[in-house]
Amino acid sequence: MPRLADMKLTPFLLFLAAITCANAAPLKINGSTTVNLPVAEAAEILRAERHLDIQVDTQGGSSGGISMLAEGSVQMGMSSKPVSAEDQEKYPQCRFHSIHIGEDAVALIVSKDVWDNGVRALTKAQLKDLYEGRVTNWQQLGGAHSQRIAFFNKEPGRGTWEVFVHWLYGSPKNAPQVSFPEVGGNEETRGKVATTRGAISQLSASWADGKSVFALALVGEDGVAVQPSAENIASHKYPLSRPLFVLTNGEPTGDAKVMADFLLSERGQSLVEKHGYLPLNALVK
Amino acid sequence: MAALLGVFAWQSAPVWTQEGLGYITGTKWFYRQHEFGALPLIYGSMMVSAVALVLAGPLGVGAAICIAEYLPSRARFAVKIPIELLAGIPSVVYGLLGALLLRDWVYKTFANFEPLSGDTLLTAGILLGIMLLPTIVTLTDDALRAVPAAQRRAGRALGLTQAEVIWHISLPQAQRGIGAAFLLALGRALGETVAVFLVVGRQDNMLPSNLFSLEPLLAAGQTLTSKLGGSEINIAYGDPLHWGAMMGLGLLLLSLTVGSALVGTLKRSGDA
């Protein structure tokens, strides 16, 4: 009951706070839409429980997060890529402090009949053939018997799709335009692949359950097949993954520190997991 | 209404200046090459709606005849109220049921035709047909009930059987109202988004070489609404031409749904 009352009062208190002490500036956060999902939910919780004034935005994605942090227009950036040497060169005055909050990995999942047909791993070249429609039968990709490929493409614009084409073509802009049936959310993707013969799609690795859908290994240049296991994702042996960061200028202080600590806490990490990413404790094993 | 059309027309102006009429007749949609042809989407919407009307039309009119002409009025209300409730069920409920049950049913039933998956134009059409059925039944029933009872009695007095009365007196007189029911249902079919989105497959550029072939029914496709409902709109934002193309789809959709609903409503009110 008191919590409910608090929640109802929150906007009012914020309003009061805003007019009484003008120097209580809000914590502004900006950057990657991928990282935004758990961070925005964390901000909601902190607003309700700690009465913090937090504004989360996603202008310009990861690069927007980095540049706005460096220019001082936000106090925290969100990024789904590490801050690069060029970024540091561009903004020499900024002491980028990266806080790793989780990992986003993409698995290529197939239906049970494909798995049973003996397809367990794909190379980059094979995936390109598949994506560009040059192969249409699993036999061409190592299946024991003839079976049509039903490729469900993750909707362009989704983070999962971007990780996939980024790895395959270097950048989403270089990816060829293709027309496949498209799938959106993780639940939909898993459901459709599980119930369709010869199906394959891209899916956040944490959703590949190994019961209804099966994650393929990726064969690297050295010919070694790498499973999308937590260890391989953590060590970056598995190529289809990217780290998720929040960034501050120097060690976080004040509200930014509250946010960073919350994201690393058990509750914060459960939000990371809830949105389909790997929490930190899944990475160190 | 005019303002709404105006906003869409204005927002989609870039694509009309770039593609001209080719926007409607073009068969390829490759946004990164800035190629926007909406014909496969219009085709998808039309096919899905056609399947829905072909399935729900005869069934709906049959059910309405049974309700309006054969049932005593108490029983009529007992049947009509639940039907009108069915017409009001949110479409996402139908969509989820379709995704759960209908996809697999189509996939298994038509296995001989080797569909690549259960997401097909046919699935979307059947699902829409189920959604439209209550609308068609209740509007057709209204149209039949609007035919004066005295005319039926006169028919019977002249020695016609009840079936002959229905065929020669009730149906011809209710014709306009039934036509209106179909047009209103068509408007709903064209505009339906969520349910179609979940089962149509959302595959671009699926225009068959033969427009009257039934084969593409068992392939995935894309409709105006499923395109607009997807995440492409997020990519389009910030690119005037791409955004214009998406808004152009809105304009096409609006014209089609408003057109059929308007004609339907006019017919209906003209009938009353």
Side-chain angles (χ1 to χ4, degrees):
Chain A
M1 211 44 220
R3 178 168 293 178
L4 188 66
D6 278 353
M7 278 165 69
K8 278 186 176 161
L9 277 176
T10 310
F12 179 61
L13 288 177
L14 283 178
F15 176 66
L16 266 189
I19 52 169
T20 46
C21 44
N23 40 359
L27 169 63
K28 287 186 188 159
I29 306 177
N30 185 57
S32 153
T33 47
T34 314
V35 188
N36 171 57
L37 298 173
V39 170
E41 201 167 333
E44 205 125 304
I45 292 171
L46 291 178
R47 258 181 234 134
E49 293 180 4
R50 308 280 288 268
H51 308 303
L52 294 187
D53 186 3
I54 307 176
Q55 297 170 4
V56 189
D57 211 339
T58 56
Q59 288 173 40
S62 297
S63 337
I66 292 170
S67 63
M68 283 174 80
L69 174 72
E71 286 158 7
S73 47
V74 298
Q75 289 80 50
M76 186 178 262
M78 301 180 286
S79 177
S80 53
K81 57 184 184 190
V83 177
S84 65
E86 290 97 79
D87 292 326
Q88 189 61 73
E89 228 166 78
K90 213 161 135 197
Y91 305 106
Q93 81 288 4
C94 183
R95 293 185 301 120
F96 286 107
H97 180 82
S98 305
I99 302 155
H100 190 192
I101 63 163
E103 197 89 2
D104 180 21
V106 174
L108 285 150
I109 51 149
V110 293
S111 53
K112 186 160 191 316
D113 57 329
V114 177
W115 187 255
D116 291 343
N117 194 8
V119 181
R120 298 290 155 92
L122 291 175
T123 66
K124 206 171 186 172
Q126 283 175 327
L127 271 172
K128 275 191 181 169
D129 284 346
L130 184 100
Y131 193 75
E132 289 162 33
R134 283 192 294 270
V135 298
T136 52
N137 198 300
W138 283 112
Q139 216 165 16
Q140 294 164 284
L141 297 176
H145 55 83
S146 169
Q147 188 183 26
R148 272 193 309 169
I149 297 175
F151 179 51
F152 292 100
N153 196 11
K154 199 82 165 177
E155 284 177 313
R158 294 249 173 197
T160 305
W161 179 83
E162 284 196 8
V163 177
F164 175 75
V165 292
H166 201 276
W167 174 67
L168 216 49
Y169 297 102
S171 137
K173 287 197 176 66
N174 299 338
Q177 289 260 320
V178 293
S179 303
F180 286 107
E182 286 173 3
V183 285
N186 290 324
E187 189 77 61
E188 186 193 5
T189 310
R190 186 165 68 180
K192 286 193 171 172
V193 168
T195 55
T196 305
R197 288 184 291 276
I200 177 170
S201 185
Q202 312 97 320
L203 182 71
S204 258
S206 53
W207 286 70
D209 54 14
K211 289 185 210 107
S212 58
V213 296
F214 300 83
L216 297 179
L218 294 175
V219 181
E221 319 253 296
D222 52 0
V224 180
V226 184
Q227 302 287 343
S229 64
E231 289 150 22
N232 288 339
I233 294 166
S235 66
H236 292 283
K237 255 192 218 150
Y238 183 76
L240 268 178
S241 81
R242 55 182 179 177
L244 306 178
F245 296 108
V246 291
L247 313 167
T248 51
N249 188 351
E251 288 283 327
T253 53
D255 289 354
K257 183 165 167 46
V258 175
M259 173 55 100
D261 289 346
F262 182 80
L263 286 170
L264 295 175
S265 73
E266 208 169 300
R267 276 178 79 195
Q269 286 291 299
S270 73
L271 293 181
V272 170
E273 197 168 4
K274 178 183 161 191
H275 288 284
Y277 311 133
L278 285 167
L280 294 175
N281 63 10
L283 298 175
V284 282
K285 255 180 192 165
Chain B
M1 198 65 244
L4 207 53
L5 280 170
V7 168
F8 275 108
W10 177 63
Q11 288 275 319
S12 62
V15 80
W16 294 109
T17 47
Q18 155 112 7
E19 304 263 341
L21 272 184
Y23 177 63
I24 295 178
T25 56
T27 59
K28 292 286 169 229
W29 182 286
F30 289 127
Y31 67 86
R32 225 173 292 125
Q33 274 88 29
H34 271 181
E35 206 177 326
F36 301 105
L39 195 59
L41 304 172
I42 299 171
Y43 169 80
S45 283
M46 292 293 180
M47 283 304 267
V48 165
S49 307
V51 170
L53 283 182
V54 164
L55 290 177
L59 215 56
V61 171
I65 288 175
C66 176
I67 294 169
E69 304 283 339
Y70 288 95
L71 288 186
S73 62
R74 269 221 195 118
R76 176 177 170 247
F77 278 110
V79 175
K80 206 171 147 101
I81 289 167
I83 287 179
E84 293 197 340
L85 283 177
L86 277 180
I89 291 180
S91 57
V92 65
V93 176
Y94 283 104
L96 289 172
L97 282 175
L100 276 176
L101 309 172
L102 200 58
R103 279 186 78 239
D104 288 341
W105 182 80
V106 169
Y107 193 37
K108 290 201 181 92
T109 310
F110 295 93
N112 285 341
F113 298 96
E114 300 182 338
L116 208 49
S117 80
D119 297 311
T120 64
L121 291 177
L122 183 69
T123 320
I126 295 175
L127 184 60
L128 265 183
I130 296 169
M131 294 176 65
L132 296 185
L133 197 54
T135 310
I136 293 183
V137 172
T138 188
L139 291 177
T140 304
D141 172 69
D142 287 347
L144 286 171
R145 295 302 295 183
V147 177
Q151 302 219 7
R152 288 192 189 86
R153 283 199 295 273
R156 292 306 294 273
L158 287 171
L160 299 181
T161 64
Q162 190 163 7
E164 284 169 331
V165 167
I166 293 168
W167 190 251
H168 294 290
I169 297 174
S170 302
L171 281 178
Q173 295 217 37
Q175 209 182 38
R176 281 171 65 92
I178 297 172
F182 274 64
L183 282 168
L184 289 173
L186 175 67
R188 183 166 181 204
L190 286 169
E192 178 47 51
T193 306
V194 188
V196 171
F197 185 80
L198 289 169
V199 298
V200 80
R202 316 204 292 276
Q203 181 165 10
D204 276 337
N205 303 322
M206 291 296 281
L207 193 72
S209 46
N210 177 1
L211 282 184
F212 299 99
S213 155
L214 290 179
E215 215 185 320
L217 280 179
L218 280 170
Q222 183 87 280
T223 67
L224 289 166
T225 51
S226 68
K227 186 77 167 174
L228 281 168
S231 75
E232 194 176 315
I233 199 94
N234 298 324
I235 303 176
Y237 195 75
D239 175 347
L241 189 60
H242 193 185
W243 181 257
M246 295 306 276
M247 291 300 110
L249 295 182
L251 184 66
L252 289 176
L253 185 64
L254 198 64
S255 329
L256 286 172
T257 50
V258 168
S260 58
L262 203 64
V263 176
T265 313
L266 287 179
K267 272 188 104 141
R268 208 165 127 79
S269 57
D271 190 56

